[in-house]
């Protein structure tokens, strides 16, 4: 299930709205792309073209930035977003055991999305809550001091909640 | 909101006095830490409960509830402090908040079960400052954090905020300010330790307009979070520092480059900038002095290399974050080729304190060449994790034992890593000469003299560099016997191969070669020549890389080889990982101390563990994939990670117990 990109007209106006918040200055490019990604859950090609057009910047620069920074993805992400911190503090507290566990349970490796488009798995280099490592976030919610058993609980919470967000999204 | 504008220093002082007069020192204030750490532990629910209770009791006028920034002791979060009593509660859940409300706020009694209990002495401690974690700290940069709501500019002003700015603008010339910063001995906290006053002076001397001041809040060192905590908990102090710097240098425009992974820091900073503008503290004609200055925030894209000064400026310009050669310094030609003065968050936060209390005061703290305090993020395998602000020159021993409280679960200290991916790993163990039997057998004993002296190493810029590491941004990651030094080196090199920008060959290609060798060693396929080659290659990469990412990348490898050569040799010669981390070299086994709690069995993904409750358990060696899940779960240290292939030697008794019936049950049935 891919994320439906709005029709061309909607997309253009959405991009204009995002760009308008910051102004079409190049210092804001990264933030603009972050917001675009937040909206579409990835950076669709059409959106990048629209950003280039609106900001009057070369498409090559936009692509350069979109592929350079780790935070950006050109592929659609899943509905739920699970992110394991593999920063040093979490690493020495055996974050790798947690990554392995999620890989096994979800059947994907970091950077991938499950075939049904439900869950994306990712790793990050530190979320600044190192005292609670190993740390995992699921849809922005922090889960600290993770163990393999807690991963199971978290997954069932996340996949359970999915239904609520499904209905609200469809209603909207 | 131009009516809010403070038109002069006198108006700022008057506002502070008004706030002081309106404050009732006896009023009960419940402060709840709302930093990222406590947020992750559910402080939202705690705050909500307090608000509900207050509403129910109609005490809105009598009791103030304040959401503060990080107190540093995130591991014990959510934290609650009830003033004016100053009672410190930790690990407070929302149900506990109700209890605190009833007992302490309404009744004036303590809630014992939420107080801090010192694990060493088993004593109950009621006040924050008496807790060993805080006792040896010197919290000056963080001094205001626990007392103010970071989103309320009046809280900051009440605590004396922006008075240093007023002094700087009205009573000091730019040269005097730079003179004071030089005299204070302040050195950059972003890693390099460059003297801040000198940097400012160079930037001021360049006769080009406009000039920029920039705050580096990229904090790419994984495991460091002091910049996050400062920006979240006290953004105004950073803003004030930048303003003073801008005035000294002659700049009118500032940028803060923050990681996008720190949403709360971005939010609180944005609120703070807006509030400062409303008061006319940012904008035109600040405090009626004719000085103009404003700040913009920019969110980074999550690339470690963007913490490097030239890459950061490229990224700010909306470009790919690639460093450039620094034969022209950024203070002369940086952002849009204009003179740009970049300092770290913590560096900026020191500035108002130096102006307020004087350069001599600042210079009286610390060591000969490293003045003031430094915030460390003490993490990893240590009992008290959190942010620790200490005077320069304090010893590692004091940080690790007195403040950190030692290693959990009775394990042994092994090493501490400072300076992040560019830093080094220092040996600290053997302080207690309790040496693993297996280590003696395999000859892993290290040079004790060197080890002991490092534990008493005074921590400052120069001493750390001399020891083969560096200060870096202040990450201090503690490792115990379960950490393998080859694995740590591999981890950092892997990190840097992913995070390097790829612009120059030594870093791009050299690090990959190093990574492959380290992988080989951790798989038991390395040779002694590989270790020598690593050292050689390291030198080439250090000498020829374009930026300091590559230039310091081999540090973790060199320092681990320097202090832990025996451990490398164990991998290479004995095909053994003494710490039991390198998967290809270990077997997971259960020894006879197992009490049969059954917890591990459920965690095993391959059903390799057999056993019944209350009986000795057994790991079927052929089925085990060495995932480590059981090791993490077992609370009785009964699971051991030993040399590959020697598994059943330790499990003899268990095998006798479980092997025969196992043969009757084919694997498919389970
Ligand atoms: C690869 C690399 C990453 C860096 N990351 C950071 C960082 O995250 N935060 C920071 O303040 N400085 C970082 N620095 C140091 C900066 O380049 C710069 O020296 C510093 O921000 C200057 O501020 P200071 O003088 O106040 O320390 C990094 C340097 C390198 C080479
Ligand atoms: S050393 Fe590495 S990060 Fe620095 S410029 Fe070269 S490739 Fe890029
Ligand atoms: S290491 Fe993993 S696979 Fe092996 S016994 Fe333990 S849980 Fe099972
Ligand atoms: S968790 Fe430890 S004590 Fe419990 S059954 Fe497993 S090995 Fe034995
Ligand atoms: S290393 Fe995981 S949160 Fe910092
Ligand atoms: S976030 Fe609460 S103590 Fe650090």
């Amino acid at each position: 299930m891919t994320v439906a990109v709005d029709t061309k007209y909607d997309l253009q106006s959405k991009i204009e709205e995002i760009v308008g918040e910051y102004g079409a200055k190049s210092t804001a490019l990264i933030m603009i792309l972050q917001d675009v990604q937040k909206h579409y859950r990835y950076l669709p090609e059409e959106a990048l073209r629209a950003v280039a057009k609106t900001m009057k910047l070369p498409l090559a620069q936009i692509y350069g930035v979109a592929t350079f920074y780790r935070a950006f993805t050109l592929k659609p992400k899943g509905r739920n977003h699970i992110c394991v911190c593999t920063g040093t503090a979490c690493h020495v507290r055996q974050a790798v055991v947690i990554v392995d566990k999620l890989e096994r349970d979800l059947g994907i490796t970091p950077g991938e999305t499950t075939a049904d488009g439900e869950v994306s798995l990712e790793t990050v280099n530190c979320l600044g809550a190192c005292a609670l490592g190993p740390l995992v976030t699921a849809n922005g919610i922090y889960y600290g001091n993770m163990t393999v058993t807690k991963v199971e609980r978290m997954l069932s919470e996340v996949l359970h909640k999915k239904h609520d967000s499904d209905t609200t999204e469809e209603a909207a | 909101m131009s009516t809010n504008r403070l038109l002069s220093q006198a108006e700022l002082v008057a506002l502070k006095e008004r706030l002081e007069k309106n404050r009732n020192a006896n009023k009960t204030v419940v402060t709840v830490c709302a930093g990222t750490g406590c947020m992750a532990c559910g402080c939202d629910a705690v705050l909500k409960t307090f608000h509900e209770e207050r509403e129910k009791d109609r005490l809105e006028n009598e009791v103030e509830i304040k959401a503060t920034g990080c107190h540093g002791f995130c591991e014990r979060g959510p934290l609650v402090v009830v003033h004016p009593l100053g009672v410190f509660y930790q690990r407070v859940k929302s149900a506990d908040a109700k209890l605190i409300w009833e007992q302490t706020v309404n009744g004036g009694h303590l809630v014992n079960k939420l107080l801090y209990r010192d694990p060493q002495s088993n004593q109950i401690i009621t006040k924050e400052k008496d807790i060993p974690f805080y006792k040896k700290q010197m919290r000056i940069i963080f001094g205001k954090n626990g007392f103010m709501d970071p989103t309320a500019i009046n809280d900051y002003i009440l605590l004396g905020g922006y008075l240093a700015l007023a002094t700087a603008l009205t009573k000091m010339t730019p040269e005097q300010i730079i003179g004071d910063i030089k005299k204070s001995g302040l050195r950059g906290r972003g890693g390099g330790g460059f003297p801040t006053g000198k940097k400012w002076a160079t930037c001021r001397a360049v006769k080009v307009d406009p000039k920029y001041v920039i705050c580096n809040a990229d904090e790419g060192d994984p495991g460091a979070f002091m910049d996050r905590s400062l920006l979240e908990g006290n953004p105004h102090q950073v803003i004030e520092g930048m303003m003073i710097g801008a005035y000294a240098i002659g700049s009118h425009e500032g940028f803060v480059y923050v990681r996008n992974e720190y949403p709360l820091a971005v939010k609180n900073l944005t609120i703070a900038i807006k509030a400062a503008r409303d008061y006319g503290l940012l904008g035109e004609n600040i405090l009626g002095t004719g000085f103009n200055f404003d700040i913009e925030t920019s969110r980074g894209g999550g690339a470690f290399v963007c913490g490097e000064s030239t890459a950061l400026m490229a990224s700010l310009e909306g470009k790919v974050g690639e460093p450039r050669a620094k034969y022209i310094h950024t203070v002369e030609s940086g952002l849009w080729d204009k003179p740009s003065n970049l300092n770290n968050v913590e560096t900026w936060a020191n500035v108002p304190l130096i102006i307020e209390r004087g350069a001599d005061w600042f210079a009286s703290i610390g060591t000969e060449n490293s003045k003031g305090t430094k915030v460390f993020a003490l993490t990893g395998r240590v009992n008290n994790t959190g942010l620790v602000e200490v005077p320069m020159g304090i010893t590692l021993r004091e940080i690790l034992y007195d403040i950190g409280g030692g290693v959990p679960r009775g394990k042994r200290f092994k090493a501490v890593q400072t300076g992040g991916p560019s830093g080094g790993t220092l040996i600290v163990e053997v302080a207690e000469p309790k040496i693993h039997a297996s280590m003696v057998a395999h000859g892993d004993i290290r040079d004790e003299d060197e080890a002991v002296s490092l534990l008493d190493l005074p921590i400052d810029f120069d001493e750390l560099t001399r020891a083969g590491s560096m200060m870096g941004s202040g990450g201090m990651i503690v490792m115990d016997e379960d950490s393998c030094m080859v694995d740590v080196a591999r981890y950092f090199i892997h990190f840097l191969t992913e995070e390097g920008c790829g612009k120059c060959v030594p870093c791009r290609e050299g690090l990959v070669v190093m990574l492959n060798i380290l992988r080989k060693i951790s798989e038991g396929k390395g040779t002694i020549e590989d270790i020598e080659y690593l050292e050689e290659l390291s030198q080439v990469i250090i000498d020829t890389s374009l930026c300091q990412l590559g230039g310091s990348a081999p540090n973790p490898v060199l320092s681990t080889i320097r202090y832990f050569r025996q451990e490398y040799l164990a991998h290479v010669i004995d095909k053994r990982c003494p710490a039991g981390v390198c998967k290809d070299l270990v077997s997971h086994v259960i020894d006879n101390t197992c009490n049969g709690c059954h917890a591990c069995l459920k965690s095993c993904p391959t059903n390799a563990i057999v056993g019944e409750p209350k009986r000795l358990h057994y790991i079927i060696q052929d089925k085990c994939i060495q995932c480590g899940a059981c090791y993490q779960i077992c609370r009785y240290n009964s699971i051991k990670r030993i040399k590959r292939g020697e598994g059943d030697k330790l499990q003899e008794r268990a095998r006798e117990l479980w092997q025969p019936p196992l043969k009757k049950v084919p694997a498919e049935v389970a």
Side-chain angles (χ1 to χ4, degrees):
Chain A
M1 196 195 311
T2 48
V3 185
V5 174
D6 314 4
T7 64
K8 255 210 162 102
Y9 174 75
D10 286 347
L11 182 132
Q12 180 64 34
S13 55
K14 182 74 208 167
I15 298 294
E16 274 167 22
E17 181 193 321
I18 291 174
V19 173
E21 255 173 62
Y22 298 96
K25 46 189 181 193
S26 63
T27 39
L29 177 60
I30 294 173
M31 292 190 278
I32 287 167
L33 292 182
Q34 278 161 354
D35 288 1
V36 173
Q37 171 155 314
K38 206 165 169 193
H39 184 75
Y40 295 106
R41 280 193 248 139
Y42 74 113
L43 294 174
E45 187 187 325
E46 299 86 332
L48 293 181
R49 288 184 187 283
V51 170
K53 197 171 125 201
T54 315
M55 295 183 72
K56 300 195 177 62
L57 287 173
L59 188 61
Q61 181 181 352
I62 314 258
Y63 260 95
V65 168
T67 50
F68 181 82
Y69 295 99
R70 200 182 149 92
F72 296 128
T73 166
L74 300 177
K75 282 185 296 188
K77 281 193 195 175
R79 273 170 197 281
N80 296 292
H81 188 206
I82 294 181
C83 191
V84 187
C85 177
T86 50
T88 324
C90 291
H91 177 76
V92 304
R93 290 193 182 177
Q94 295 166 8
V96 60
V97 174
I98 307 296
V99 178
D100 284 355
K101 166 84 179 159
L102 281 162
E103 283 184 359
R104 279 195 307 271
D105 286 8
L106 295 171
I108 51 173
T109 54
E112 293 180 347
T113 302
T114 51
D116 59 3
E118 278 307 330
V119 189
S120 298
L121 180 62
E122 244 165 66
T123 59
V124 68
N125 283 333
C126 183
L127 294 158
C130 321
L132 308 173
L135 194 72
V136 178
T137 65
N139 300 329
I141 298 169
Y142 292 74
Y143 293 81
N145 296 314
M146 281 310 258
T147 61
V148 280
T149 359
K150 284 196 196 164
V151 166
E152 275 167 26
R153 237 178 295 150
M154 178 194 79
L155 274 181
S156 74
E157 260 177 57
V158 169
L159 297 176
H160 186 70
K161 268 212 194 97
K162 162 194 102 188
H163 299 295
D164 309 344
S165 68
D166 258 6
T167 46
T168 47
E169 255 183 38
E170 263 152 32
Chain B
M1 286 237 245
S2 52
T3 46
N4 278 341
R5 279 185 71 95
L6 302 166
L7 299 176
S8 64
Q9 182 190 23
E11 287 196 14
L12 173 68
V13 173
L15 170 64
K16 176 173 187 260
E17 280 167 0
R18 214 162 50 240
L19 293 168
E20 265 167 0
K21 220 170 79 205
N22 291 343
R23 183 183 56 168
N24 173 359
N26 297 321
K27 185 172 180 179
T28 306
V29 183
V30 180
T31 62
V32 180
C33 176
T36 296
C38 289
M39 209 68 112
C41 300
C43 72
D44 274 350
V46 172
L47 269 165
K48 192 163 153 260
T49 307
F50 278 126
H51 280 286
E52 281 167 6
E53 291 297 313
R54 184 173 68 173
E55 201 171 323
K56 212 170 67 199
D57 292 353
R58 299 187 182 285
L59 287 172
E60 280 86 351
N61 293 325
E62 286 77 11
V63 181
E64 194 179 336
I65 299 168
K66 209 184 262 302
T68 71
C70 175
H71 294 229
F73 208 4
C74 318
E75 193 227 332
R76 292 277 170 164
L79 305 181
V80 172
V81 184
V82 183
H83 297 288
L85 291 169
V87 190
F88 175 83
Y89 292 121
Q90 38 107 52
R91 296 200 173 139
V92 178
K93 299 269 164 282
S94 79
D96 301 328
K98 199 165 154 53
L99 210 61
I100 294 176
W101 185 267
E102 285 161 1
Q103 299 284 321
T104 311
V105 177
N106 280 340
H109 304 297
L110 299 177
V111 184
N112 274 343
K113 69 164 194 182
L114 299 173
L115 291 169
Y116 180 82
R117 185 185 285 272
D118 182 23
Q120 258 110 45
S121 65
N122 214 17
Q123 290 241 310
I124 285 183
I125 300 173
T126 49
K127 299 234 158 98
E128 195 167 13
K129 65 174 187 343
D130 297 330
I131 294 171
F133 175 74
Y134 289 109
K135 239 182 186 162
K136 279 212 170 168
Q137 292 196 44
M138 187 180 205
R139 295 174 77 84
I140 54 179
I141 307 173
F142 274 132
K144 299 187 176 78
N145 254 37
F147 300 94
M148 55 176 275
D149 176 348
T151 61
I153 190 170
N154 280 351
D155 278 14
Y156 183 63
I157 290 174
L158 180 65
L159 294 168
Y162 289 111
L163 286 181
L165 171 76
T167 308
L169 292 184
T170 57
K171 301 206 174 61
M172 296 172 85
T173 64
E175 287 77 11
Q176 277 173 332
I177 295 172
I178 292 176
D180 270 14
I181 299 295
K182 275 186 178 164
K183 201 165 129 207
S184 74
L186 176 63
R187 292 170 68 173
R189 302 299 197 235
F194 193 81
T196 306
K198 202 168 149 194
K199 192 189 265 185
W200 290 13
T202 321
C203 193
R204 175 165 181 81
V206 183
K207 297 275 174 277
V208 176
D209 259 344
K211 290 175 187 167
Y212 301 107
V213 293
I214 307 168
C215 173
N216 189 343
D218 194 44
E219 197 156 72
D221 170 5
F225 54 107
M226 59 288 289
D227 295 347
R228 180 221 94 199
S229 173
L230 268 170
L231 273 185
E232 260 174 34
N234 192 352
H236 287 289
Q237 191 164 320
V238 180
I239 296 174
E240 189 179 359
M242 287 179 75
M243 296 172 75
I244 296 170
Y247 170 70
I249 291 159
S251 160
H252 304 292
E253 216 177 325
F255 292 90
V256 183
Y257 186 88
V258 197
R259 309 178 68 197
N260 194 38
E261 285 86 350
Y262 289 175
L264 188 61
V266 174
K267 183 174 149 226
N268 287 0
L269 177 69
T270 311
I271 293 172
I273 291 176
K274 192 178 169 303
R277 279 189 196 137
D278 283 349
Y279 271 161
L281 291 166
L282 284 173
E284 309 230 310
N285 193 14
I286 294 167
L287 293 175
T289 60
F291 173 61
N292 307 332
F293 183 68
D294 211 337
I295 295 178
E296 266 184 55
T297 48
S298 183
R299 302 192 307 248
F304 175 66
V305 70
C306 286
E308 196 274 342
S309 51
T310 56
L312 184 146
M313 290 176 201
S315 180
L316 259 181
E317 291 176 13
K319 296 189 189 136
V320 165
E322 283 177 354
R324 62 161 170 80
K326 280 212 272 189
Y327 45 85
I328 306 175
H329 285 288
T330 48
V331 281
E332 288 165 23
S333 175
L335 193 59
W336 295 296
D337 300 326
K338 301 292 181 210
S340 307
N341 185 95
L342 175 74
N343 279 120
N344 164 264
V345 173
E346 195 183 329
T347 315
W348 288 120
N350 269 300
V351 170
L353 301 170
I354 295 172
I355 300 299
E356 184 189 327
R357 302 205 208 173
D360 291 330
W361 163 79
F362 192 83
S364 72
I365 307 164
T367 60
E368 170 98 46
N369 290 315
S370 303
K371 300 298 187 188
T373 60
K374 177 77 194 89
V375 184
F376 290 100
L378 188 62
T379 59
R381 302 300 206 119
V382 60
N383 269 316
N384 301 333
T385 52
L387 291 177
V388 175
E389 184 180 350
V390 286
M392 296 273 191
I394 192 170
T395 63
L396 258 181
R397 186 191 301 278
E398 286 171 287
I399 299 183
L400 298 181
Y401 286 93
D402 299 346
I403 297 174
V407 177
R409 290 217 237 167
K411 303 253 174 171
R412 290 173 321 121
F413 262 133
K414 178 166 188 175
V416 63
Q417 209 279 344
T418 67
S422 329
T425 308
L426 303 174
I427 181 171
V428 293
E429 68 158 355
V430 205
E432 312 133 89
K434 208 173 90 190
I435 294 166
H436 242 219
S438 70
M439 283 185 178
V440 180
H442 292 91
D444 286 346
I445 309 171
R446 301 175 180 96
D447 185 337
E448 277 198 38
D449 291 339
E450 186 163 37
V452 173
S453 70
L454 278 180
L455 199 53
D456 287 310
L457 185 80
I459 302 296
D460 70 12
F461 286 107
D462 310 316
E463 293 285 346
L464 277 174
T465 307
R466 209 166 298 142
S469 184
M470 63 188 263
M471 179 77 82
S473 54
M476 192 174 265
I477 292 152
V478 179
M479 306 184 201
D480 65 6
E481 56 189 285
D482 286 343
S483 296
C484 164
M485 292 303 123
V486 176
D487 175 69
V488 167
R490 190 193 51 77
Y491 169 81
F492 281 118
I493 299 297
H494 173 73
F495 174 86
L496 291 163
T497 51
E498 291 209 326
E499 293 296 323
C501 76
K503 189 170 174 177
C504 70
V505 178
C507 167
R508 190 183 62 224
E509 305 296 333
L511 290 181
V512 173
V513 175
M514 284 181 81
L515 179 61
N516 287 337
I517 297 176
L518 287 164
R519 282 207 175 119
K520 229 172 92 186
I521 295 177
S522 68
E523 286 164 6
K525 297 178 190 144
T527 61
I528 295 188
E529 289 75 35
D530 282 334
I531 302 178
E532 285 160 14
Y533 186 49
L534 275 179
E535 290 176 300
E536 244 175 74
L537 193 56
S538 293
Q539 210 47 55
V540 177
I541 297 175
I542 290 173
D543 292 340
T544 55
S545 288
L546 183 65
C547 85
Q548 271 306 305
L549 186 145
S552 57
N555 278 356
V557 176
L558 288 177
S559 65
T560 46
I561 296 181
R562 173 170 167 189
Y563 293 116
F564 298 94
R565 187 177 283 271
Q566 294 298 333
E567 196 165 335
Y568 276 84
L569 290 176
H571 284 77
V572 167
I573 299 171
D574 305 344
K575 311 296 174 203
R576 191 174 58 84
C577 174
V581 171
C582 299
K583 273 188 188 177
D584 295 300
L585 301 180
V586 302
S587 292
H588 281 77
V589 295
I590 296 175
D591 72 10
N592 293 342
T593 61
C594 164
N595 65 12
C597 77
H598 219 45
C600 58
L601 191 127
K602 284 168 256 166
S603 73
C604 179
T606 60
N607 296 324
I609 304 179
V610 285
E612 279 168 14
K614 301 214 177 93
R615 295 184 70 187
L616 188 61
H617 282 46
Y618 174 67
I619 296 179
I620 308 165
Q621 293 298 306
D622 293 346
K623 281 179 139 190
C624 173
I625 55 168
Q626 322 297 347
C627 74
C630 56
Y631 187 79
Q632 196 182 56
I633 290 289
C634 179
R635 276 187 284 148
Y636 306 96
N637 282 342
S638 298
I639 294 184
K640 296 282 184 300
R641 306 190 289 194
I642 62 169
K643 184 173 173 186
R644 174 61 62 88
E646 293 184 350
D648 276 345
K649 266 195 229 161
L650 240 147
Q651 294 194 112
E652 209 124 348
R653 225 180 78 206
R655 191 177 53 179
E656 274 164 27
L657 216 57
W658 298 108
Q659 197 76 315
L662 219 113
K663 281 189 184 129
K664 281 180 225 145
V665 189
E668 291 87 57
V669 177

